[in-house]
Amino acid sequence: MYVHRWSDGTPVKLPVGKVVCIGRNYAEHAQELNNPVPDNPILFIKPASAITAFSKELSLHAYLGEHHYEAELALLVGETITRDTVSPLQCIEGMGLALDLTLRALQSELKAKGHPWERAKAFDRSCPLTGFVRKTPQSKENYEYRFWQNGELKQHGQSSMMLFNLEKLLGEISDYFTLEPGDVVLTGTPKGVGALRHNDRLTLQLGENTPFEAKVNLE
Ligand code: ZN
């Protein structure tokens, strides 16, 4: 069963909660999918049951169809954040990386019909998470991360390129959804999204920290 872990593999003493995700937080990614740049962050939720570990063998449910990756900076909530929280960044206890896996064809279909995205975004194993670095983000710092597929750099994100910064995102989210200890926030994906294939070797690296590797099983 999945538990949150620190980057050295030791378990985090927090429950596993929901994942609140941001859509279209990087202008160049919105453009690559022909989406308008939003005035407000787009929010959606993956349940705790969607989380799986980004580790050696990443087994996905092939029957669901083509999975697209979106590499994203992930924030681990350590203390409750409500709309009254004055310094929400102070309530973040760890930073890691995630893949916001998406059934893109199905999402396009649902979007066209004006239906919710859950089937395409919140399905089982749709949220592989790396271990977390023990860290509380600082609003002025730039956090960088990279994603490689079979050794080829596919995505390079920087928090300084986000349309809505981390503080703003936590404020917007907590206006609607209380964030509880063990919840995770995914902060949107930069350009370069694409499909996963069976046997892909994936690498995620936050800053200069030790990279995480996984091999995709889509059979
Ligand atoms: Zn995403």
Side-chain angles (χ1 to χ4, degrees), residues 106-214:
L106 178 58
Q107 187 196 26
S108 301
E109 239 175 77
L110 294 168
K111 269 158 79 173
K113 290 184 193 157
H115 290 179
W117 297 353
E118 267 87 347
R119 282 174 187 257
K121 282 285 198 184
F123 57 92
D124 288 351
R125 303 186 189 174
S126 61
C127 190
L129 279 178
T130 69
F132 290 92
V133 176
R134 227 182 268 265
K135 199 175 181 55
T136 296
Q138 306 300 315
S139 54
K140 291 201 169 63
E141 215 168 302
N142 182 31
Y143 298 100
E144 249 187 296
Y145 57 97
R146 290 179 171 80
F147 170 73
W148 292 263
Q149 184 181 31
N150 302 316
E152 194 183 325
L153 181 67
K154 293 288 186 175
Q155 292 192 278
H156 174 202
Q158 299 193 57
S159 57
S160 63
M161 288 161 60
M162 292 177 180
L163 298 171
F164 307 99
N165 65 31
L166 301 179
E167 204 148 28
K168 168 87 176 151
L169 291 179
L170 295 175
E172 284 281 341
I173 291 169
S174 57
D175 277 348
Y176 293 83
F177 313 116
T178 295
L179 290 167
E180 296 173 304
D183 285 353
V184 172
V185 173
L186 301 194
T187 55
T189 198
K191 67 175 175 180
V193 300
L196 293 179
R197 308 273 176 228
H198 181 59
N199 280 337
D200 272 352
R201 286 174 297 107
L202 308 181
T203 309
L204 280 169
Q205 187 179 27
L206 173 59
E208 300 302 314
N209 293 288
T210 310
F212 288 86
E213 315 261 353

Side-chain angles (χ1 to χ4, degrees), residues 21-23 29 44 70 72 100 102 121 186 188-189:
C21 307
I22 315 296
H29 169 62
F44 60 96
E70 297 186 357
E72 310 199 3
D100 165 17
T102 306
K121 282 285 198 184
L186 301 194
T189 198

